[in-house]
Amino acid sequence: MSDQTDPLAWTRDYTPILRSLADEYGEEQPLSGYSVALASHLEQKTGVLIETLRDAGAEVLVTGSEPYSTKGEVVDALRDQDGVETFVEAGMTEEEWADGQHRLLEAEPDFILDDGCELIAKVHADHPDVARQVIGGGEQTTAGITRLEAMEDEDVLEFPVYGVNDTPMKHFFDNVHGTGESSLSNVMITTNTMLSGKTVVVGGYGYCGRGIARKARGMGAQTIVTEVDPRKALEAHMDGHRIASMAEAASEADYVITSTGNRDVVREDHFDELQDGVILANAGHFDVEIAVAALEDAADRVTEPRDGVTRYHMADGRRINLLAEGRLVNLTGPHSSGHPAEVMDTTFAMMFEAARDMLAEGRGEKLAPGLYAMPDRLDRAVANRKLETLDVDVDDLTDRQREYYEEWEHPDSAF
Ligand code: NAI
């Protein structure tokens, strides 16, 4: 396939860590004999991860983690490859999409790489016999970790799962920079408006919200942050953003962008405060952060002035614009292509390493069921691979420095 006909060609050029993993493990095939289920937004970067797992010997069973983020050309490119089985198509209804996930689980995967705990929740709820045979799993997003923590609290997990999202190599880069840049660029492309000089209200100042707020300010916007955690609110304040309740911020907003992992962040109480022409978007995993059904009920009529924009006409003449129907704006809008490839390269390298460690290194068989932090050695290994691709050198600790970390008396100190 040429660069022009191969939909993954461009992305491969920007995913050097995955390419280096495919090169290193292509011959050894450490995942040979294992089937790995993958639920993720099925677009180009995910396609390259699937190829990497397949090149390392796995049989890869593929579904989407969101019904509307699947790219048909990527499914077409993967469907006929040896070692890959797809259970998803672009344009599926939510029922067809869920049905595909159940069919995937009936194929009895050895390992589950998940996004939003889609497959892990379903295998426990609906396929308990399959769940008991699964060797392990990895979870890539905050929303999935929250669900896994709830499963762990109820003591229902049947296998060990690495919380890939919680590694420094994932959330310091993907959540902050990936979500920050891709959400704002999608808001601007979808609306053909500019952030400079506008007021951007960011709901939530976690890893994603921090990236969105910092980058919006970097583009010349005035930023207001809303929070429920007093420490996060203080952090935003010290970073130079204004803090306000959503009720107060809504009246000044040109844009409201949510990324809390929670529901109803923009809800009935706030609709009356919003200005005419405000643009609402969500970057959180589930489409519940903006109360869309309530907005529809509150509106006199609804139009679609532009691809990807739903406009709610209120009785008093104000127009409230919602992007991507309140779904992940960077992944499900008409112009969305998700995070930049370079940052997904790091996240997906961590997902690959989660599977390799639990399967090929045998850690999955040794760990009791539960949610686990990923070993720091794997995080450092991916960081080193990334630095190598950037051709950047860092210092090594000297022996004396290493010893110093292990001492408590500090004999050389003057104090
Ligand atoms: P986080 O846990 O670091 O931050 C969430 C923040 O929202 C917390 O500080 C929390 O106090 C705050 N919050 C909760 N309820 C709130 C409310 N009602 N009003 C205001 N603030 C509230 O989580 P992170 O990593 O920032 O992820 C946020 C969401 O974004 C999750 O759903 C996650 O899965 C999703 N995500 C989306 C990505 C994308 O591509 N769009 C990429 C990575 C994560």
Side-chain angles (χ1 to χ4, degrees):
M1 234 188 271
S2 77
D3 279 10
Q4 280 183 332
T5 54
D6 179 354
L8 306 184
W10 177 269
T11 305
R12 278 190 214 104
D13 287 348
Y14 291 90
T15 47
I17 315 179
L18 289 176
R19 280 207 328 272
S20 81
L21 289 166
D23 286 347
E24 182 170 342
Y25 295 116
E27 225 165 89
E28 191 189 317
Q29 302 254 301
L31 301 181
S32 177
Y34 294 113
S35 60
V36 175
L38 175 73
S40 193
H41 302 287
L42 197 51
E43 39 82 75
Q44 283 77 356
K45 280 90 69 181
T46 314
V48 179
L49 169 63
I50 291 164
E51 287 185 339
T52 309
L53 289 161
R54 192 268 325 272
D55 288 352
E59 186 201 348
V60 194
L61 311 175
V62 180
T63 181
S65 56
E66 215 281 348
Y68 300 99
S69 58
T70 301
K71 305 274 186 223
E73 68 273 23
V74 176
V75 180
D76 291 344
L78 293 168
R79 190 184 291 112
D80 298 326
Q81 294 195 20
D82 287 343
V84 179
E85 197 173 346
T86 53
F87 294 83
V88 66
E89 299 285 342
M92 276 180 154
T93 63
E94 293 194 25
E95 291 72 28
E96 288 166 340
W97 169 75
D99 181 56
Q101 295 192 332
H102 288 294
R103 283 188 289 110
L104 181 155
L105 292 169
E106 281 157 16
E108 303 185 359
D110 296 311
F111 195 84
I112 297 177
L113 286 171
D114 216 348
D115 183 18
C117 198
E118 276 300 327
L119 290 178
I120 295 176
K122 280 194 179 76
V123 78
H124 283 83
D126 302 317
H127 307 271
D129 293 344
V130 178
R132 279 190 281 279
Q133 304 302 319
V134 174
I135 296 171
E139 169 55 52
Q140 78 174 45
T141 198
T142 312
I145 300 286
T146 309
R147 290 175 87 183
L148 284 164
E149 284 167 349
M151 292 177 79
E152 180 147 82
D153 285 349
E154 285 185 26
D155 202 19
V156 294
L157 272 172
E158 293 281 3
F159 48 84
V161 182
Y162 277 150
V164 177
N165 176 73
D166 293 347
T167 57
M169 282 307 287
K170 200 281 179 175
H171 62 241
F172 286 159
F173 303 102
D174 174 314
N175 299 32
V176 178
H177 298 284
T179 311
E181 290 195 16
S182 63
S183 299
L184 293 179
S185 58
N186 274 289
V187 167
M188 290 186 292
I189 292 168
T190 306
T191 58
N192 193 217
T193 58
M194 84 190 220
L195 295 185
S196 187
K198 303 279 182 55
T199 299
V200 175
V201 174
V202 179
Y205 202 69
Y207 292 103
C208 295
R210 180 185 307 167
I212 295 167
R214 285 180 189 165
K215 285 169 196 285
R217 195 181 47 195
M219 296 177 84
Q222 319 280 331
T223 44
I224 305 179
V225 167
T226 74
E227 252 296 343
V228 291
D229 181 330
R231 297 151 306 174
K232 294 288 176 65
L234 276 173
E235 188 188 346
H237 170 72
M238 298 277 185
D239 284 349
H241 307 289
R242 256 181 71 200
I243 310 298
S245 65
M246 185 59 83
E248 184 190 339
S251 63
E252 294 182 47
D254 295 304
Y255 302 82
V256 182
I257 307 176
T258 55
S259 64
T260 67
N262 204 342
R263 59 176 305 138
D264 304 333
V265 181
V266 184
R267 55 181 181 272
E268 293 89 322
D269 320 1
H270 308 130
F271 299 154
D272 285 347
E273 309 299 329
L274 293 167
Q275 306 189 83
D276 178 35
V278 67
I279 291 167
L280 308 181
N282 168 49
H285 189 81
F286 293 108
D287 61 348
V288 295
E289 305 217 4
I290 299 167
V292 179
L295 186 55
E296 199 154 341
D297 286 348
D300 261 8
R301 63 193 176 91
V302 181
T303 57
E304 199 183 319
R306 223 179 133 77
D307 215 10
V309 184
T310 312
R311 174 168 281 174
Y312 296 86
H313 298 260
M314 311 308 269
D316 60 9
R318 285 173 310 129
R319 293 156 303 168
I320 297 174
N321 300 303
L322 175 69
L323 306 193
E325 300 173 0
R327 297 175 185 278
L328 293 148
V329 70
N330 58 334
L331 280 148
T332 63
H335 311 284
S336 305
S337 36
H339 281 22
E342 294 99 320
V343 88
M344 288 315 291
D345 195 25
T346 315
T347 297
F348 283 160
M350 293 302 296
M351 293 290 267
F352 177 94
E353 286 293 20
R356 195 182 62 80
D357 196 55
M358 282 227 202
L359 296 173
E361 303 295 326
R363 289 256 304 164
E365 301 282 7
K366 291 186 190 127
L367 294 170
L371 177 61
Y372 290 87
M374 226 170 135
D376 197 52
R377 65 187 157 79
L378 299 176
D379 202 58
R380 283 176 183 273
V382 170
N384 278 324
R385 260 182 213 270
K386 175 74 181 172
L387 289 174
E388 275 165 29
T389 69
L390 296 171
D391 203 15
V392 172
D393 282 333
V394 290
D395 286 327
D396 288 323
L397 285 172
T398 65
D399 289 343
R400 185 67 196 103
Q401 286 170 333
R402 206 168 282 112
E403 285 162 21
Y404 183 76
Y405 272 158
E406 288 159 9
E407 289 164 0
W408 63 274
E409 282 188 294
H410 292 179
D412 304 338
S413 165
F415 302 106

